[in-house]
Amino acid sequence: MRTLRFLLRKEFLQIVRDHVIMGMIFVMPIVQLLVLANAVTFEVTQARLYVVDLDHSPASRGLVDRLTASGRFAVAGASPSRARADAAMLDRDVDAILALPAGFERDLVRRRHAAVQLVLDAQDGAAAAVTQSYAGQVLTRYAHELGATLHPTMVTVGARSEAPPVRGQPAIDVRRRGWYNPELDYRAYMVPGILVVLVTMIGSLLTAMNIVREKEAGTLDQLNVTPLPRATFIAAKLIPLWVFALVDLALGLTFAHVALGVPVRGSLLLVFGAAAIYLVAALGIGLWISTVAETQQQAMFVTFSLLMVYLLMSGLFTPVRGMPQWAQWLTVVNPVAQFVQLMRAVLLKGAGVADVARQLAILAASGAVVLALAVRQYRKRAA
Amino acid sequence: MRHRSPALVAFVVKELRHILRDRQTLLILLLLPLAQVVLFGFALRTDVDDVRIAFVDPAPDAATLALRARFAGTGRFHVVAVSSTTAPLEPLFRRGAADVALVFEPGFASRLADGTPARLLLVADVADPNTGSLVQAYAQAVIAGYEAELGAAGRGVRIELRTRMRYNPTLESVNLFVPGLIALVLTLVSALMTAISLSREKERGTLEILLVSPLRPWQIIVGKVLPYLLLAFANAVTALLAAWLVFRVPFRGSVALLLGASVLYALVGLALGVLIAARTTSERAAMLGAMAGTMLPNALLSGMIFPIASLPGWLQAITVVVPARWFIVVSRGVMLQGVGLHRLWPELAVLGVMLVVLMAGAVRSFKARLA
Amino acid sequence: MSAAIEAHELTRRFGRFTAVDAISFDVQPGEVFGFLGANGAGKTTAIKMLIGLLAPTSGTARVAGFDVVTQADEVRRRIGYMSQRFSLYEDLTVRENVTLYGGIYGLSDADIRTRGDALLAGLRLGHAADTRVAALPLGWKQKLAFSVALLHRPAIVFLDEPTGGVDPITRRQFWEMIYAAAAGGTTVFVTTHYLDEAEYCDRVSIMVDGRIAALGTPEALKRESGAATLDELFVRLARPAAAAQG
């Protein structure tokens, strides 16, 4: 215990005196949150629409008006030329082409049924699906509107008619409620994940580099020759960064809440408790990497590559629900994934210990396993 | 320089041998990008194939059961809970056990028959706004389909929406990501490795020896980056092959154009790597600089995964200087849209300008160290 | 009196390459023992086995009376080590390094203070107690590292190429410190490729290609071989090996 005290003092001194690490610990959270929180968003903004209206009727104009009124579409071009519309899409100037055929209004009035064509730039398939859904809703509403007023004797939409109104058709009024993020603020969703990245970077990357730096400098050999127990050395290496990672989490969370307006609906005790447990796994990974890397450059490279895999497979940027089955199963043994789920549930949904019990259990287990493996891997004497 | 001086050739050969000898790094450099493309192609999907839906149906009748059956029959939705009150919803959502819930009101069927609007409450977990919106869109499509079916039997007005999904009929997100992944792969090798290798030589002092040799600064730079260019090219080819064979990403345009653009992009990355190495004082700083200055912006601010149009204005302005942003337009244009040089030359021109500027900066930085 | 260091058929193989080939020797307490050899002859590998950084492939070694493999912790308590790379923390101050190693070896706070002061006084580094080690000139760093290695008064101290890259005056001072330590009863095991330093040792061994090619006092070796200096003897022994390598 006494030797641990000496070593901890040395570790803290070294970390505090290292400008690069201090920069990473205090500046990185702010930068990451500012940039990442803003950059990582799939928000579907307005779709730019090119209108090819071959009907030029009140009905067709009415449809276009309702599309723009919905706020989801903005007319970026219009002409009777299909070719120009296609060219605009090839030039990526428009996201969708709406083609209204000649006779659109006539079909609506006479036969109460007409068709329009919507061509979507579907490179971003999800956005296209959402845009299609919006268009469909506008069309359905318009059709209902017309259905209550149109009569076969009308010449044009909106004209007066003495004929009795047609009996209302079946209608379903769908009211939508979005829970936990009604403003659809992508930042609120991303920030818990970004905080996880932050904490992981410090836990794994800095740990690995810190130990490998001693390897490179030769001081590691020096320590291995002393009677210093392996456990004490490892504890001294892991504890300071464990502390700093938690400090960083506090810093990041405060900034996110105060400056970016990210909600904190659940228990902070739960957040930091889970982080403390998660860090054991993250630090363990850093320790393990330090036993296989010979230079700091290797350590950095291996850590980044490994972390990139963990991060991308964790549901941080893309939903776990979207992954193939085998990838979804892997998230069970991916501590990053579990911690991300936990953070989102607690911060955004106000989840309690019972709700995230599964994640906590996996985090504890991962931490124990990873740390045990890493400690076993670390030998004072090379075989 | 009009002629190739023998010194330069010898230098390039030496550099090539140097890299080939470091088997471990070489393996990583060749396999890692390939592994990344395959892994991310499979894992990075924003498509949601399995939506968990809960029903709150206090007074089940023919219509509610029909609509519920419709959901169950889509294959995309699967029912995780049916209850008569909304009480179980909150815990379900909190635990992440359901994505969306449909709440019926009593008298659903009779209202439909009357023609008075029958009300439904669609509650979605939109913590993840993107997936949430998508799930809502899917749910509304099912409801709309049911409504249309009812309407067709009646005499309501119907406007049919015929949709064509251009460039990506299957709506697979892999088609969106893979063209960008190529960029990421190229960046890894070109910018990162160059920065590391050069700064390592700088730290070791071997670079100074080169600088006092008869080789001119630009020759040293060319000699150092040429092997990595070849490596980057090899990586691009393997990544494209993986995209084509494994993921069946379409290849509608000219392969030659895409390879040419890849080379141009790799050169920009290399120039950036050289510049970073010239400007930083230690290998550690070089690595961090390369990471921050190349990998992250290329991954996040290039439109590779996250659409540029979704970014706030100030970030959109910044993306102009991110080389990958321009390359991705080209790669998507060639692979998905099938366009050619006559439409893509502006983007290529931008990359060309970047290359010239960065190379000039790099050469000047190295020259300054001799003064 | 048992030997301070005993090696018996100590061997280390890396795959098919034998770095240390069944060497046997002993070092008596209080001796200054020079472990010589060309670069790549196996010196560093051998010393790493003796101090417990590398496991022997076969053979045994005892240091301070304890087996290096089975009683490694006992060995570690009784030895000091100074590597080629000086092994002090560059970003810590002189005093912080002293305190750290004192604490690691279990010295009491009082001992750390008194011995630390004595160390600094002896090196005339009192004024630099709070200077970062990185700021010290090379020669001072080495002398400091050596003193720190002796802080816990080990029975044996291992020095791996301690005077590399340093001017002759500092080397002389260093050897005076070695003699002082030996005079106090500390066994000094030093590897070096400066053959003139070898003349300062009580006994030397010369390693060639993993084997001990010569072992004895400098005078005896010169007499037996007819070489005028150890340098000459060394070249004579090493050249066939170099020639064989071609």
Side-chain angles (χ1 to χ4, degrees):
Chain A
M1 270 307 108
R2 187 166 169 265
T3 38
L4 183 60
R5 194 162 45 87
F6 280 98
L7 280 171
L8 281 176
R9 194 155 158 268
K10 154 210 176 272
E11 290 298 326
F12 273 109
L13 279 174
Q14 281 192 296
I15 290 177
V16 167
R17 285 181 189 164
D18 187 332
H19 294 304
V20 175
I21 293 186
M22 282 285 107
M24 277 183 78
I25 291 181
F26 290 107
V27 174
M28 211 171 53
I30 315 295
V31 170
Q32 262 189 348
L33 282 171
L34 272 180
V35 173
L36 282 181
N38 281 309
V40 179
T41 169
F42 287 109
E43 216 176 294
V44 179
T45 50
Q46 279 188 338
R48 296 161 304 169
L49 188 65
Y50 197 102
V51 179
V52 178
D53 185 353
L54 296 175
D55 199 41
H56 299 291
S57 61
S60 64
R61 281 194 292 271
L63 178 55
V64 175
D65 287 341
R66 274 157 190 75
L67 282 172
T68 47
S70 72
R72 301 289 181 182
F73 295 90
V75 177
S79 87
S81 158
R82 191 52 189 269
R84 278 212 228 131
D86 290 337
M89 188 173 270
L90 274 179
D91 278 334
R92 297 164 310 278
D93 288 330
V94 297
D95 305 305
I97 299 172
L98 181 69
L100 298 150
F104 174 66
E105 189 182 57
R106 184 198 60 221
D107 287 339
L108 277 177
V109 173
R110 302 257 189 78
R111 288 189 278 152
R112 300 179 74 78
H113 163 244
V116 303
Q117 192 191 46
L118 185 67
V119 179
L120 291 166
D121 181 340
Q123 289 182 73
D124 182 347
V130 173
T131 305
Q132 179 191 26
S133 162
Y134 288 143
Q137 285 168 47
V138 170
L139 255 63
T140 312
R141 272 202 297 272
Y142 190 49
H144 283 170
E145 217 183 286
L146 292 177
T149 59
L150 271 187
H151 190 273
T153 59
M154 287 161 91
V155 171
T156 179
V157 163
R160 290 186 163 276
S161 164
E162 273 85 40
V166 180
R167 193 156 149 254
Q169 64 194 56
I172 302 182
D173 172 20
V174 182
R175 280 176 310 156
R176 290 191 330 199
R177 205 64 64 71
W179 276 6
Y180 308 123
N181 195 356
E183 313 87 37
L184 297 185
D185 180 8
Y186 215 79
R187 282 205 303 218
Y189 180 62
M190 283 311 300
V191 163
I194 292 169
L195 290 174
V196 170
V197 173
L198 209 64
V199 158
T200 312
M201 278 293 145
I202 295 190
S204 297
L205 182 65
L206 288 187
T207 301
M209 285 183 49
N210 209 10
I211 300 181
V212 175
R213 190 161 54 145
E214 289 223 27
K215 238 199 239 190
E216 279 184 333
T219 49
L220 194 65
D221 271 350
Q222 188 69 24
L223 287 179
N224 285 336
V225 168
T226 67
L228 187 66
R230 179 174 62 172
T232 313
F233 170 74
I234 290 176
K237 278 290 173 195
L238 299 187
I239 290 175
L241 286 171
W242 186 81
V243 170
F244 274 114
L246 288 174
V247 165
D248 228 20
L249 180 61
L251 205 71
L253 198 53
T254 311
F255 181 75
H257 185 56
V258 169
L260 300 177
V262 172
V264 177
R265 300 199 174 106
S267 149
L268 279 178
L269 188 62
L270 182 54
V271 169
F272 282 95
I277 299 177
Y278 167 71
L279 275 168
V280 175
L283 294 165
I285 291 175
L287 177 63
W288 184 85
I289 291 175
S290 76
T291 61
V292 300
E294 289 302 318
T295 65
Q296 285 191 73
Q297 175 211 343
Q298 263 183 21
M300 230 191 264
F301 198 69
V302 173
T303 314
F304 264 121
S305 311
L306 211 63
L307 282 184
M308 194 157 37
V309 174
Y310 270 110
L311 286 173
L312 280 164
M313 302 283 282
S314 69
L316 189 62
F317 299 121
T318 55
V320 173
R321 325 262 330 109
M323 297 181 191
Q325 264 306 356
W326 58 266
Q328 294 197 31
W329 283 330
L330 279 182
T331 63
V332 174
V333 295
N334 181 348
V336 183
Q338 299 301 315
F339 190 44
V340 167
Q341 282 173 24
L342 187 148
M343 286 288 274
R344 284 181 175 150
V346 173
L347 289 176
L348 295 177
K349 301 183 185 177
V353 177
D355 298 315
V356 294
R358 190 183 64 123
Q359 283 84 353
L360 281 173
I362 295 179
L363 284 179
S366 319
V369 168
V370 171
L371 191 61
L373 285 177
V375 168
R376 235 176 49 141
Q377 185 81 358
Y378 178 84
R379 291 184 191 297
K380 286 178 121 189
R381 177 173 59 225
Chain B
M1 298 300 116
R2 255 150 222 104
H3 65 281
R4 273 260 190 84
S5 56
L8 178 57
V9 173
F11 183 51
V12 171
V13 169
K14 164 247 177 200
E15 282 296 310
L16 261 171
R17 244 192 240 139
H18 191 65
I19 292 182
L20 288 172
R21 218 174 283 156
D22 187 355
R23 285 279 168 76
Q24 206 189 25
T25 312
L26 192 66
L27 213 63
I28 294 178
L29 286 179
L30 283 176
L31 288 187
L32 187 65
L34 191 63
Q36 278 177 342
V37 171
V38 173
L39 188 69
F40 301 155
F42 278 124
L44 288 190
R45 294 173 77 236
T46 47
D47 326 322
V48 179
D49 297 328
D50 176 39
V51 182
R52 297 157 309 174
I53 186 165
F55 292 118
V56 176
D57 198 357
D61 55 41
T64 65
L65 289 174
L67 185 50
R68 279 162 54 181
R70 204 184 173 88
F71 270 100
T74 59
R76 192 191 286 277
F77 288 86
H78 85 263
V79 184
V80 292
V82 180
S83 101
S84 52
T85 71
T86 56
L89 286 188
E90 177 79 57
L92 268 179
F93 279 130
R94 262 217 312 267
R95 262 183 293 123
D99 303 307
V100 66
L102 198 58
V103 181
F104 292 96
E105 277 186 335
F108 189 70
S110 52
R111 279 173 176 255
L112 280 179
D114 277 347
T116 53
R119 286 203 306 239
L120 276 181
L121 182 59
L122 185 67
V123 180
D125 179 348
V126 292
D128 173 359
N130 190 54
T131 311
S133 302
L134 198 56
V135 163
Q136 277 176 329
Y138 290 147
Q140 299 230 237
V142 174
I143 296 172
Y146 180 62
E147 201 180 344
E149 210 177 80
L150 293 176
R155 296 172 59 232
V157 171
R158 206 157 53 91
I159 305 179
E160 187 187 328
L161 180 67
R162 297 197 189 128
T163 318
R164 274 249 303 277
M165 297 295 194
R166 199 175 269 177
Y167 309 138
N168 186 5
T170 52
L171 300 184
E172 299 247 339
S173 55
V174 71
N175 292 334
L176 179 70
F177 295 153
V178 167
L181 270 181
I182 315 280
L184 203 62
V185 159
L186 288 174
T187 309
L188 184 72
V189 176
S190 59
L192 198 60
M193 292 315 296
T194 313
I196 293 171
S197 146
L198 272 177
S199 69
R200 187 165 11 141
E201 293 233 8
K202 220 170 108 165
E203 254 185 22
R204 291 228 192 106
T206 49
L207 196 58
E208 309 231 77
I209 299 177
L210 287 175
L211 283 171
V212 288
S213 76
L215 288 172
R216 309 275 292 273
W218 72 265
Q219 289 179 314
I220 297 175
I221 293 176
V222 166
K224 282 238 149 259
V225 303
L226 208 57
Y228 286 114
L229 178 64
L230 294 174
L231 211 56
F233 189 73
N235 272 322
V237 171
T238 44
L240 286 173
L241 274 174
W244 183 50
L245 290 172
V246 178
F247 300 112
R248 314 216 166 280
V249 177
F251 238 106
R252 304 198 175 105
S254 151
V255 177
L257 177 59
L258 187 55
L259 283 177
S262 305
V263 170
L264 179 58
Y265 176 71
L267 281 173
V268 172
L270 288 168
L272 191 56
V274 170
L275 190 60
I276 292 176
R279 292 302 201 141
T280 57
T281 48
S282 77
E283 197 184 325
R284 216 155 57 122
M287 266 212 85
L288 285 171
M291 271 292 159
T294 62
M295 294 294 294
L296 285 180
N298 278 331
L300 300 171
L301 297 180
S302 61
M304 170 178 144
I305 305 178
F306 311 108
I308 294 183
S310 311
L311 299 175
W314 58 277
L315 269 183
Q316 285 200 31
I318 292 181
T319 66
V320 170
V321 297
V322 176
R325 176 211 215 261
W326 304 103
F327 175 74
I328 285 175
V329 172
V330 174
S331 67
R332 283 195 184 135
V334 170
M335 290 173 86
L336 299 176
Q337 289 181 310
V339 294
L341 194 55
H342 60 286
R343 277 202 198 277
L344 292 172
W345 68 263
E347 282 77 21
L348 292 172
V350 171
L351 284 176
V353 167
M354 282 184 177
L355 178 62
V356 170
V357 168
L358 287 172
M359 279 305 284
V363 172
R364 191 174 327 139
S365 295
F366 271 107
K367 273 213 183 105
R369 298 187 62 251
L370 278 178
Chain C
M1 199 157 51
S2 65
I5 304 175
E6 291 171 62
H8 186 68
E9 305 276 307
L10 197 60
T11 309
R12 174 70 201 195
R13 275 187 280 273
F14 294 104
R16 266 179 303 180
F17 170 63
T18 308
V20 175
D21 196 354
I23 59 174
S24 302
F25 64 94
D26 62 0
V27 177
Q28 296 304 318
E31 264 197 287
V32 176
F33 189 86
F35 202 60
L36 314 175
N39 290 330
K43 300 194 308 293
T44 306
T45 312
I47 207 177
K48 282 196 168 169
M49 284 195 281
L50 292 175
I51 58 178
L53 284 182
L54 198 58
T57 316
S58 65
T60 59
R62 298 182 76 81
V63 171
F66 294 95
D67 186 297
V68 297
V69 175
T70 58
Q71 295 164 306
D73 275 332
E74 301 292 332
V75 172
R76 289 188 181 114
R77 268 191 268 279
R78 293 168 174 78
I79 62 174
Y81 173 58
M82 181 193 152
S83 78
Q84 286 169 310
R85 289 176 287 186
F86 325 116
S87 13
L88 293 176
Y89 287 97
E90 301 265 322
D91 46 356
L92 295 182
T93 66
V94 173
R95 190 175 287 286
E96 281 163 356
N97 269 286
V98 169
T99 311
L100 175 66
Y101 283 109
I104 290 178
Y105 279 102
L107 300 184
S108 70
D109 288 338
D111 273 342
I112 293 177
R113 207 175 11 252
T114 37
R115 292 193 202 180
D117 288 339
L119 186 154
L120 289 172
L123 288 174
R124 278 189 268 248
L125 275 179
H127 62 286
D130 296 311
T131 325
R132 305 242 181 120
V133 169
L136 294 178
L138 190 60
W140 287 107
K141 273 195 241 191
Q142 281 162 318
K143 288 189 278 189
L144 181 61
F146 181 52
S147 305
V148 170
L150 292 173
L151 192 69
H152 59 291
R153 309 223 178 110
I156 307 160
V157 67
F158 291 84
L159 309 174
D160 192 3
E161 312 253 358
T163 53
V166 142
D167 65 85
I169 297 180
T170 313
R171 273 208 283 141
R172 180 59 106 24
Q173 288 173 331
F174 200 88
W175 275 91
E176 279 164 20
M177 290 171 71
I178 291 182
Y179 279 144
T186 312
T187 313
V188 180
F189 186 94
V190 53
T191 72
T192 178
H193 60 259
Y194 288 112
L195 274 305
D196 56 333
E197 286 183 349
E199 310 268 1
Y200 302 154
C201 301
D202 292 329
R203 280 194 306 151
V204 299
S205 74
I206 300 182
M207 270 189 85
V208 176
D209 276 349
R211 289 220 163 107
I212 292 186
L215 175 65
T217 68
E219 298 74 42
L221 286 179
K222 279 187 285 193
R223 207 184 332 119
E224 283 161 24
S225 64
T229 62
L230 280 179
D231 194 34
E232 202 188 305
L233 171 59
F234 176 78
V235 170
R236 214 188 284 172
L237 288 171
R239 193 179 291 152
Q245 276 182 4

